[in-house]
């Protein structure tokens, strides 16, 4: 069973608020990812990190930012939430290697911005 | 431009039947092709994966068929059960993060 945790699971917040979605894993994985999942199911990569102090933007442009100060922790921050940010955010991790390997996903953070 | 195209978007199968989901990719640098299963309220979980050096991989009732020349791969679920009702995603990667298909919502009815 994967040990990757996301908090909060559900968040309803007003426009303009700053929010941070937390993601932690206890598997010692170097690689971590944030995916945005829209109601139509599709998964879009918005950020990823291959190690401490390394972050990259994904395929989908996002106003969110991420940090990777510790191997096990990969938080995502929205400085000023808007209704267009309403979505499910999924964090994942994987072992280092030459290809992506198995991704372990958290259960997601469902964000609603009013 | 979608790198992995998945079909159908939804699928209804009778209990005991075969469920088939198809994916096609463009990038010949891809060398890892997994399928993920997602239940409502949960994150996706790896179901089965294949690398291009084999044409088929079977794990229990789940089989991946891979056609390198056609750049296509498919998931077959034999003896489909109501508990298989979920959303299925194909994915692909090379030396890059996984890219996912749009997903297939499978419903297995009794």
């Amino acid at each position: 069973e994967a040990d990757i945790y996301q908090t909060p699971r559900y968040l309803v917040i007003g426009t303009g608020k700053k929010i941070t979605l937390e993601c932690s894993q206890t598997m010692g994985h170097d690689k971590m990812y944030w995916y945005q999942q829209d109601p139509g199911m599709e998964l879009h990569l918005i950020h990823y990190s291959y190690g401490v102090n390394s972050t990259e933007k994904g395929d989908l442009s996002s106003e969110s930012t991420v940090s990777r100060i510790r191997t096990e922790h990969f938080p995502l921050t929205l400085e000023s939430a808007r209704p267009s940010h309403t979505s499910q955010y999924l964090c994942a991790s994987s072992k280092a290697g030459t290809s992506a390997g198995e991704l372990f996903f958290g259960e997601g953070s469902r964000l609603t911005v009013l | 431009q979608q790198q992995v195209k998945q079909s159908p978007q939804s699928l209804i199968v009778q209990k005991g039947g075969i469920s088939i989901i198809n994916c096609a990719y463009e990038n010949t640098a891809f060398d890892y092709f997994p399928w993920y299963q997602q239940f409502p309220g949960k994150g996706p979980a790896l179901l089965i994966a294949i690398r291009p050096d084999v044409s088929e991989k079977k794990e229990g009732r789940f089989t991946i068929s891979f056609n390198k020349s056609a750049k296509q791969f498919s998931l077959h679920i034999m003896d489909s059960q109501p508990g298989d009702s979920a959303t299925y995603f194909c994915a692909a990667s090379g030396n890059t993060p996984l890219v996912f298909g749009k997903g297939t919502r499978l419903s297995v009815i009794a």
Side-chain angles (χ1 to χ4, degrees):
Chain A
E1 187 171 321
D3 295 313
I4 181 163
Y5 307 100
Q6 291 186 240
T7 58
R9 289 292 315 278
Y10 303 93
L11 180 63
V12 181
I13 202 165
T15 297
K17 300 292 186 183
K18 178 180 178 179
I19 64 114
T20 296
L21 304 180
E22 302 286 350
C23 177
S24 295
Q25 50 95 5
T26 59
M27 298 171 282
H29 287 167
D30 287 320
K31 296 182 176 181
M32 296 190 74
Y33 311 82
W34 278 103
Y35 285 86
Q36 184 174 337
Q37 185 170 34
D38 56 28
M41 304 182 298
E42 191 169 2
L43 290 155
H44 299 282
L45 179 68
I46 51 175
H47 298 283
Y48 63 100
S49 167
Y50 284 174
V52 171
N53 293 326
S54 160
T55 62
E56 301 286 344
K57 290 188 179 294
D59 302 324
L60 182 68
S61 176
S62 174
E63 293 165 349
S64 59
T65 59
V66 292
S67 62
R68 189 89 184 277
I69 299 172
R70 304 196 315 265
T71 297
E72 64 271 21
H73 194 215
F74 191 39
L76 180 145
T77 298
L78 276 165
E79 290 293 333
S80 179
R82 295 207 302 267
S84 61
H85 296 138
T86 294
S87 191
Q88 163 111 305
Y89 293 85
L90 288 162
C91 181
S93 71
S94 68
K95 292 181 184 178
T98 56
S99 60
E102 179 178 1
L103 289 188
F104 294 90
F105 281 88
E107 293 195 320
S109 292
R110 184 167 295 281
L111 173 66
T112 301
V113 184
L114 303 176
Chain B
Q1 179 189 3
Q2 190 173 16
Q3 296 193 58
V4 180
K5 295 183 179 179
Q6 182 172 347
S7 62
Q9 187 174 4
S10 62
L11 183 61
I12 299 174
V13 174
Q14 293 277 352
K15 180 182 175 182
I18 302 173
S19 303
I20 302 174
I21 306 170
N22 300 299
C23 281
Y25 65 97
E26 292 294 328
N27 189 342
T28 55
F30 288 153
D31 63 358
Y32 177 71
F33 302 90
W35 286 89
Y36 280 78
Q37 180 188 54
Q38 184 179 25
F39 293 105
K42 301 290 186 182
L46 180 67
L47 187 63
I48 186 172
I50 198 168
R51 294 195 184 271
D53 51 343
V54 296
S55 60
E56 186 175 282
K57 183 174 181 180
K58 184 176 181 180
E59 290 183 1
R61 295 184 295 110
F62 301 92
T63 300
I64 298 179
S65 296
F66 183 79
N67 185 329
K68 188 174 181 179
S69 60
K71 293 187 286 186
Q72 295 175 347
F73 58 110
S74 60
L75 175 70
H76 295 235
I77 306 174
M78 311 299 288
D79 187 26
S80 299
Q81 299 296 313
D84 297 330
S85 297
T87 300
Y88 293 81
F89 295 92
C90 62
S93 74
N95 242 341
T96 53
L98 275 176
V99 289
F100 287 85
K102 290 190 174 184
T104 297
R105 203 183 303 270
L106 172 65
S107 297
V108 181
I109 57 175

